[in-house]
Amino acid sequence: MKAPRPRDSWAALAALTPARIALGRSGASLPTREVLALALDHARARDAVHAPFDAKGVAGQLEALGLATVSVTSAAPDRTTYLRRPDFGRHLSPDSRDAIGVRVGGADIAIVIGDGLSSAAVHAHAIPLLGALLPRLRAAAWSLADVVLAGQARVALGDEIGERLGARMVLVLIGERPGLSSPDSLGAYLTFAPHVGRTDAERNCISNIRPAGLSYDVAAAKIAWLIGEALRLGFTGVSLKDDSDLSLIGPRHGEALPKSDC
């Protein structure tokens, strides 16, 4: 009688993560199923980077939420240039500058939706996230500029857009660099007083927004909390700590919630 196969001690841990652990082996190599799974995930990541941005389709969904839109492109004329020249993706094309113009005393918040490195993430998650976020923004009575849909966009493109719209803050929703287990991860970047030349240290980022990562409701709560604190304190970035989780659990008896002013 053949002895029972010992239970894989890694199986329970592997079930808790999409990371590539406990893959097994076939001789000196990986099992064929794992080689094929890796190739499939790699192909999905590449597809996410190169898939065209359906700005028109997203605009239709935004209009159903009661939001007006305007479409722009960065200075990158095509996807190949965009991938090779990140700096082009941080500035508007001349035609897009003319389309936005320059405004003074604009809205509290300008929302920019950019394809980034995964239009798949934007198509899948931007609208559900905004569906969870908009009631919070409206409850706080913050004014919103028209939503800007940006093709061939990098995060810093929001600085120029927000500056031209005269917005107090800009929120950029953008597709993040795909990983082999997450080709559709959406990122949210907040910048107070946006203008050309802002650095990444002057932004707050909430990443991995998707059902398998950070849920829409939790991400919306964090974004709304950060917006409120940024407008109150007058800055975003490394000086603005995300204490939104503390606001959910409340202070202990006799303690006050910490301030985000350091």
Short mmCIF file of all heavy atoms in Angstrom, two decimals, residues 173-223:
data_model
loop_
_atom_site.label_atom_id
_atom_site.label_comp_id
_atom_site.label_asym_id
_atom_site.label_seq_id
_atom_site.Cartn_x
_atom_site.Cartn_y
_atom_site.Cartn_z
N LEU A 173 -7.07 60.09 -10.59
CA LEU A 173 -7.31 58.65 -10.58
C LEU A 173 -6.64 58.08 -11.82
O LEU A 173 -6.94 58.50 -12.94
CB LEU A 173 -8.81 58.35 -10.60
CG LEU A 173 -9.65 58.99 -9.49
CD1 LEU A 173 -11.12 58.61 -9.66
CD2 LEU A 173 -9.13 58.58 -8.12
N ILE A 174 -5.72 57.13 -11.62
CA ILE A 174 -4.88 56.71 -12.74
C ILE A 174 -4.51 55.24 -12.61
O ILE A 174 -4.40 54.71 -11.49
CB ILE A 174 -3.61 57.59 -12.78
CG1 ILE A 174 -2.87 57.46 -14.11
CG2 ILE A 174 -2.70 57.33 -11.60
CD1 ILE A 174 -1.82 58.55 -14.34
N GLY A 175 -4.36 54.59 -13.74
CA GLY A 175 -3.96 53.20 -13.76
C GLY A 175 -2.50 53.04 -13.34
O GLY A 175 -1.62 53.71 -13.87
N GLU A 176 -2.25 52.16 -12.36
CA GLU A 176 -0.90 51.96 -11.86
C GLU A 176 -0.15 50.95 -12.71
O GLU A 176 -0.73 50.18 -13.48
CB GLU A 176 -0.96 51.48 -10.41
CG GLU A 176 -1.59 52.48 -9.46
CD GLU A 176 -1.61 52.00 -8.03
OE1 GLU A 176 -1.97 50.84 -7.79
OE2 GLU A 176 -1.27 52.80 -7.14
N ARG A 177 1.16 50.95 -12.54
CA ARG A 177 2.00 50.00 -13.26
C ARG A 177 1.55 48.57 -12.95
O ARG A 177 1.49 48.18 -11.78
CB ARG A 177 3.47 50.18 -12.84
CG ARG A 177 4.45 49.32 -13.64
CD ARG A 177 5.85 49.50 -13.09
NE ARG A 177 6.25 50.89 -13.08
CZ ARG A 177 6.76 51.55 -14.12
NH1 ARG A 177 6.92 50.92 -15.28
NH2 ARG A 177 7.10 52.81 -14.02
N PRO A 178 1.21 47.76 -13.96
CA PRO A 178 0.68 46.42 -13.69
C PRO A 178 1.74 45.51 -13.06
O PRO A 178 2.92 45.56 -13.40
CB PRO A 178 0.29 45.91 -15.07
CG PRO A 178 0.19 47.11 -15.94
CD PRO A 178 1.20 48.08 -15.39
N GLY A 179 1.29 44.68 -12.14
CA GLY A 179 2.11 43.62 -11.60
C GLY A 179 1.63 42.29 -12.14
O GLY A 179 0.57 42.20 -12.77
N LEU A 180 2.37 41.23 -11.87
CA LEU A 180 1.99 39.93 -12.39
C LEU A 180 0.76 39.36 -11.69
O LEU A 180 0.17 38.39 -12.17
CB LEU A 180 3.17 38.96 -12.27
CG LEU A 180 4.36 39.28 -13.17
CD1 LEU A 180 5.48 38.28 -12.96
CD2 LEU A 180 3.94 39.28 -14.63
N SER A 181 0.37 39.95 -10.57
CA SER A 181 -0.86 39.51 -9.90
C SER A 181 -1.90 40.62 -9.86
O SER A 181 -2.99 40.42 -9.32
CB SER A 181 -0.56 39.03 -8.48
OG SER A 181 -0.01 40.08 -7.70
N SER A 182 -1.58 41.78 -10.42
CA SER A 182 -2.52 42.91 -10.34
C SER A 182 -2.39 43.80 -11.57
O SER A 182 -1.80 44.88 -11.51
CB SER A 182 -2.26 43.74 -9.08
OG SER A 182 -0.92 44.17 -9.03
N PRO A 183 -2.96 43.38 -12.72
CA PRO A 183 -2.88 44.21 -13.92
C PRO A 183 -3.88 45.37 -13.94
O PRO A 183 -3.84 46.19 -14.85
CB PRO A 183 -3.20 43.21 -15.04
CG PRO A 183 -4.10 42.21 -14.39
CD PRO A 183 -3.61 42.09 -12.98
N ASP A 184 -4.76 45.43 -12.94
CA ASP A 184 -5.84 46.42 -12.97
C ASP A 184 -5.92 47.22 -11.67
O ASP A 184 -7.00 47.48 -11.14
CB ASP A 184 -7.19 45.73 -13.24
CG ASP A 184 -7.56 44.75 -12.12
OD1 ASP A 184 -6.67 44.33 -11.37
OD2 ASP A 184 -8.76 44.42 -12.01
N SER A 185 -4.78 47.64 -11.15
CA SER A 185 -4.74 48.39 -9.89
C SER A 185 -4.87 49.88 -10.17
O SER A 185 -4.13 50.45 -10.96
CB SER A 185 -3.43 48.09 -9.15
OG SER A 185 -3.37 48.82 -7.96
N LEU A 186 -5.82 50.52 -9.49
CA LEU A 186 -6.06 51.95 -9.65
C LEU A 186 -5.42 52.72 -8.50
O LEU A 186 -5.47 52.29 -7.34
CB LEU A 186 -7.57 52.22 -9.66
CG LEU A 186 -8.01 53.66 -9.96
CD1 LEU A 186 -7.81 53.97 -11.44
CD2 LEU A 186 -9.48 53.86 -9.57
N GLY A 187 -4.80 53.85 -8.83
CA GLY A 187 -4.20 54.71 -7.81
C GLY A 187 -4.93 56.04 -7.75
O GLY A 187 -5.49 56.52 -8.75
N ALA A 188 -4.94 56.65 -6.56
CA ALA A 188 -5.53 57.98 -6.36
C ALA A 188 -4.47 58.89 -5.76
O ALA A 188 -3.88 58.56 -4.73
CB ALA A 188 -6.74 57.89 -5.44
N TYR A 189 -4.23 60.03 -6.40
CA TYR A 189 -3.19 60.97 -5.98
C TYR A 189 -3.82 62.32 -5.69
O TYR A 189 -4.54 62.88 -6.53
CB TYR A 189 -2.11 61.11 -7.06
CG TYR A 189 -1.30 59.85 -7.27
CD1 TYR A 189 -1.80 58.80 -8.05
CD2 TYR A 189 -0.05 59.70 -6.69
CE1 TYR A 189 -1.06 57.64 -8.24
CE2 TYR A 189 0.70 58.55 -6.88
CZ TYR A 189 0.19 57.52 -7.65
OH TYR A 189 0.92 56.36 -7.83
N LEU A 190 -3.54 62.86 -4.52
CA LEU A 190 -4.09 64.14 -4.08
C LEU A 190 -2.99 65.17 -3.95
O LEU A 190 -1.97 64.92 -3.31
CB LEU A 190 -4.78 63.97 -2.73
CG LEU A 190 -6.12 63.24 -2.75
CD1 LEU A 190 -6.44 62.67 -1.37
CD2 LEU A 190 -7.23 64.17 -3.20
N THR A 191 -3.20 66.34 -4.55
CA THR A 191 -2.23 67.44 -4.47
C THR A 191 -2.95 68.73 -4.15
O THR A 191 -3.86 69.15 -4.88
CB THR A 191 -1.46 67.60 -5.79
OG1 THR A 191 -0.93 66.33 -6.19
CG2 THR A 191 -0.32 68.60 -5.62
N PHE A 192 -2.54 69.39 -3.07
CA PHE A 192 -3.11 70.68 -2.69
C PHE A 192 -2.42 71.79 -3.48
O PHE A 192 -1.21 71.73 -3.73
CB PHE A 192 -2.92 70.92 -1.19
CG PHE A 192 -3.53 72.20 -0.71
CD1 PHE A 192 -4.89 72.29 -0.46
CD2 PHE A 192 -2.75 73.33 -0.52
CE1 PHE A 192 -5.47 73.48 -0.03
CE2 PHE A 192 -3.31 74.53 -0.09
CZ PHE A 192 -4.68 74.60 0.16
N ALA A 193 -3.17 72.81 -3.87
CA ALA A 193 -2.65 73.95 -4.63
C ALA A 193 -1.81 73.48 -5.81
O ALA A 193 -0.61 73.77 -5.90
CB ALA A 193 -1.84 74.88 -3.73
N PRO A 194 -2.41 72.72 -6.73
CA PRO A 194 -1.62 72.15 -7.83
C PRO A 194 -1.04 73.22 -8.75
O PRO A 194 -1.70 74.21 -9.07
CB PRO A 194 -2.66 71.30 -8.57
CG PRO A 194 -3.98 71.93 -8.26
CD PRO A 194 -3.84 72.43 -6.85
N HIS A 195 0.18 73.01 -9.14
CA HIS A 195 0.82 73.84 -10.16
C HIS A 195 2.00 73.09 -10.73
O HIS A 195 2.54 72.16 -10.10
CB HIS A 195 1.26 75.20 -9.59
CG HIS A 195 2.28 75.11 -8.48
ND1 HIS A 195 3.62 74.86 -8.70
CD2 HIS A 195 2.15 75.23 -7.15
CE1 HIS A 195 4.27 74.84 -7.56
NE2 HIS A 195 3.40 75.05 -6.60
N VAL A 196 2.41 73.46 -11.92
CA VAL A 196 3.54 72.80 -12.58
C VAL A 196 4.78 72.93 -11.71
O VAL A 196 5.10 74.03 -11.23
CB VAL A 196 3.78 73.41 -13.98
CG1 VAL A 196 5.04 72.81 -14.60
CG2 VAL A 196 2.58 73.17 -14.88
N GLY A 197 5.45 71.81 -11.48
CA GLY A 197 6.65 71.83 -10.66
C GLY A 197 6.47 71.16 -9.31
O GLY A 197 7.45 70.98 -8.57
N ARG A 198 5.24 70.79 -8.96
CA ARG A 198 5.02 70.05 -7.73
C ARG A 198 5.80 68.73 -7.78
O ARG A 198 5.98 68.14 -8.84
CB ARG A 198 3.54 69.74 -7.54
CG ARG A 198 2.70 70.91 -7.06
CD ARG A 198 3.05 71.30 -5.65
NE ARG A 198 2.04 72.17 -5.05
CZ ARG A 198 2.23 72.85 -3.94
NH1 ARG A 198 3.38 72.76 -3.31
NH2 ARG A 198 1.27 73.61 -3.45
N THR A 199 6.25 68.25 -6.63
CA THR A 199 7.00 66.99 -6.57
C THR A 199 6.11 65.90 -5.97
O THR A 199 5.07 66.18 -5.35
CB THR A 199 8.26 67.13 -5.71
OG1 THR A 199 7.88 67.34 -4.33
CG2 THR A 199 9.11 68.30 -6.18
N ASP A 200 6.55 64.67 -6.11
CA ASP A 200 5.79 63.55 -5.55
C ASP A 200 5.72 63.62 -4.03
O ASP A 200 4.78 63.10 -3.42
CB ASP A 200 6.41 62.23 -5.98
CG ASP A 200 6.19 61.93 -7.45
OD1 ASP A 200 5.27 62.54 -8.04
OD2 ASP A 200 6.92 61.10 -8.01
N ALA A 201 6.70 64.27 -3.40
CA ALA A 201 6.68 64.42 -1.94
C ALA A 201 5.56 65.34 -1.48
O ALA A 201 5.23 65.37 -0.30
CB ALA A 201 8.03 64.96 -1.45
N GLU A 202 4.95 66.08 -2.42
CA GLU A 202 3.88 67.00 -2.08
C GLU A 202 2.50 66.42 -2.38
O GLU A 202 1.51 67.15 -2.41
CB GLU A 202 4.07 68.32 -2.85
CG GLU A 202 5.36 69.05 -2.45
CD GLU A 202 5.67 70.23 -3.34
OE1 GLU A 202 5.86 70.03 -4.56
OE2 GLU A 202 5.71 71.36 -2.82
N ARG A 203 2.44 65.11 -2.59
CA ARG A 203 1.18 64.44 -2.87
C ARG A 203 0.91 63.36 -1.81
O ARG A 203 1.82 62.86 -1.16
CB ARG A 203 1.19 63.73 -4.22
CG ARG A 203 1.82 64.46 -5.35
CD ARG A 203 1.66 63.68 -6.65
NE ARG A 203 2.62 64.14 -7.64
CZ ARG A 203 2.53 65.28 -8.30
NH1 ARG A 203 1.51 66.07 -8.08
NH2 ARG A 203 3.45 65.63 -9.17
N ASN A 204 -0.35 62.98 -1.72
CA ASN A 204 -0.73 61.78 -0.98
C ASN A 204 -1.25 60.76 -1.98
O ASN A 204 -1.97 61.12 -2.92
CB ASN A 204 -1.81 62.08 0.06
CG ASN A 204 -1.27 62.85 1.25
OD1 ASN A 204 -1.20 64.07 1.23
ND2 ASN A 204 -0.87 62.12 2.28
N CYS A 205 -0.90 59.52 -1.76
CA CYS A 205 -1.27 58.45 -2.69
C CYS A 205 -2.04 57.35 -1.95
O CYS A 205 -1.65 56.95 -0.85
CB CYS A 205 -0.03 57.86 -3.36
SG CYS A 205 -0.38 56.38 -4.35
N ILE A 206 -3.11 56.90 -2.56
CA ILE A 206 -3.83 55.70 -2.11
C ILE A 206 -3.79 54.73 -3.28
O ILE A 206 -4.28 55.04 -4.36
CB ILE A 206 -5.28 56.03 -1.73
CG1 ILE A 206 -5.30 57.04 -0.58
CG2 ILE A 206 -6.03 54.77 -1.34
CD1 ILE A 206 -6.67 57.60 -0.29
N SER A 207 -3.18 53.58 -3.07
CA SER A 207 -2.93 52.67 -4.19
C SER A 207 -3.68 51.34 -4.03
O SER A 207 -4.31 51.09 -3.00
CB SER A 207 -1.43 52.40 -4.33
OG SER A 207 -0.94 51.75 -3.17
N ASN A 208 -3.61 50.55 -5.09
CA ASN A 208 -4.18 49.20 -5.11
C ASN A 208 -5.68 49.21 -4.86
O ASN A 208 -6.22 48.38 -4.12
CB ASN A 208 -3.48 48.29 -4.10
CG ASN A 208 -3.72 46.82 -4.38
OD1 ASN A 208 -3.94 46.41 -5.52
ND2 ASN A 208 -3.70 46.00 -3.33
N ILE A 209 -6.38 50.16 -5.50
CA ILE A 209 -7.83 50.23 -5.37
C ILE A 209 -8.45 49.27 -6.38
O ILE A 209 -8.38 49.48 -7.59
CB ILE A 209 -8.34 51.66 -5.61
CG1 ILE A 209 -7.67 52.64 -4.63
CG2 ILE A 209 -9.85 51.73 -5.49
CD1 ILE A 209 -7.93 54.10 -4.94
N ARG A 210 -9.05 48.23 -5.88
CA ARG A 210 -9.70 47.19 -6.68
C ARG A 210 -10.32 46.19 -5.72
O ARG A 210 -9.93 46.14 -4.54
CB ARG A 210 -8.70 46.49 -7.62
CG ARG A 210 -7.53 45.84 -6.91
CD ARG A 210 -6.41 45.45 -7.86
NE ARG A 210 -5.35 44.76 -7.16
CZ ARG A 210 -5.16 43.44 -7.17
NH1 ARG A 210 -5.96 42.67 -7.90
NH2 ARG A 210 -4.17 42.88 -6.50
N PRO A 211 -11.28 45.39 -6.16
CA PRO A 211 -11.92 44.45 -5.24
C PRO A 211 -10.95 43.51 -4.53
O PRO A 211 -11.17 43.15 -3.38
CB PRO A 211 -12.89 43.68 -6.15
CG PRO A 211 -13.23 44.66 -7.23
CD PRO A 211 -11.95 45.43 -7.47
N ALA A 212 -9.87 43.11 -5.20
CA ALA A 212 -8.90 42.21 -4.58
C ALA A 212 -7.87 42.95 -3.74
O ALA A 212 -6.99 42.32 -3.15
CB ALA A 212 -8.19 41.38 -5.66
N GLY A 213 -7.97 44.27 -3.68
CA GLY A 213 -7.04 45.08 -2.89
C GLY A 213 -7.79 45.94 -1.90
O GLY A 213 -8.44 45.43 -0.99
N LEU A 214 -7.73 47.26 -2.09
CA LEU A 214 -8.45 48.20 -1.23
C LEU A 214 -9.84 48.43 -1.82
O LEU A 214 -9.96 48.83 -2.98
CB LEU A 214 -7.69 49.52 -1.15
CG LEU A 214 -8.11 50.52 -0.07
CD1 LEU A 214 -7.82 49.96 1.33
CD2 LEU A 214 -7.39 51.84 -0.27
N SER A 215 -10.87 48.19 -1.05
CA SER A 215 -12.24 48.28 -1.57
C SER A 215 -12.60 49.72 -1.92
O SER A 215 -11.99 50.67 -1.43
CB SER A 215 -13.24 47.74 -0.54
OG SER A 215 -13.36 48.62 0.56
N TYR A 216 -13.63 49.87 -2.75
CA TYR A 216 -14.06 51.20 -3.17
C TYR A 216 -14.51 52.05 -1.98
O TYR A 216 -14.17 53.23 -1.88
CB TYR A 216 -15.22 51.10 -4.17
CG TYR A 216 -14.93 50.27 -5.39
CD1 TYR A 216 -15.85 49.31 -5.83
CD2 TYR A 216 -13.75 50.41 -6.10
CE1 TYR A 216 -15.60 48.54 -6.96
CE2 TYR A 216 -13.48 49.64 -7.23
CZ TYR A 216 -14.41 48.70 -7.65
OH TYR A 216 -14.15 47.94 -8.75
N ASP A 217 -15.26 51.45 -1.06
CA ASP A 217 -15.77 52.21 0.08
C ASP A 217 -14.64 52.68 0.99
O ASP A 217 -14.64 53.83 1.44
CB ASP A 217 -16.76 51.35 0.88
CG ASP A 217 -18.12 51.24 0.20
OD1 ASP A 217 -18.42 52.10 -0.65
OD2 ASP A 217 -18.86 50.29 0.51
N VAL A 218 -13.69 51.80 1.27
CA VAL A 218 -12.58 52.19 2.14
C VAL A 218 -11.72 53.25 1.45
O VAL A 218 -11.31 54.24 2.07
CB VAL A 218 -11.73 50.96 2.52
CG1 VAL A 218 -10.46 51.39 3.27
CG2 VAL A 218 -12.54 49.99 3.37
N ALA A 219 -11.45 53.05 0.16
CA ALA A 219 -10.65 54.04 -0.58
C ALA A 219 -11.36 55.40 -0.61
O ALA A 219 -10.73 56.44 -0.42
CB ALA A 219 -10.39 53.55 -2.00
N ALA A 220 -12.68 55.39 -0.84
CA ALA A 220 -13.44 56.64 -0.87
C ALA A 220 -13.39 57.35 0.48
O ALA A 220 -13.25 58.57 0.55
CB ALA A 220 -14.89 56.36 -1.28
N ALA A 221 -13.49 56.58 1.56
CA ALA A 221 -13.43 57.18 2.89
C ALA A 221 -12.06 57.82 3.14
O ALA A 221 -11.96 58.91 3.71
CB ALA A 221 -13.72 56.12 3.95
N LYS A 222 -11.00 57.15 2.72
CA LYS A 222 -9.65 57.68 2.90
C LYS A 222 -9.46 58.95 2.06
O LYS A 222 -8.88 59.94 2.52
CB LYS A 222 -8.61 56.62 2.51
CG LYS A 222 -8.45 55.50 3.53
CD LYS A 222 -7.40 54.51 3.07
CE LYS A 222 -7.10 53.48 4.14
NZ LYS A 222 -6.38 54.05 5.30
N ILE A 223 -9.91 58.92 0.81
CA ILE A 223 -9.76 60.08 -0.05
C ILE A 223 -10.51 61.28 0.53
O ILE A 223 -9.97 62.40 0.60
CB ILE A 223 -10.27 59.76 -1.47
CG1 ILE A 223 -9.34 58.74 -2.15
CG2 ILE A 223 -10.34 61.04 -2.31
CD1 ILE A 223 -9.91 58.17 -3.45
#
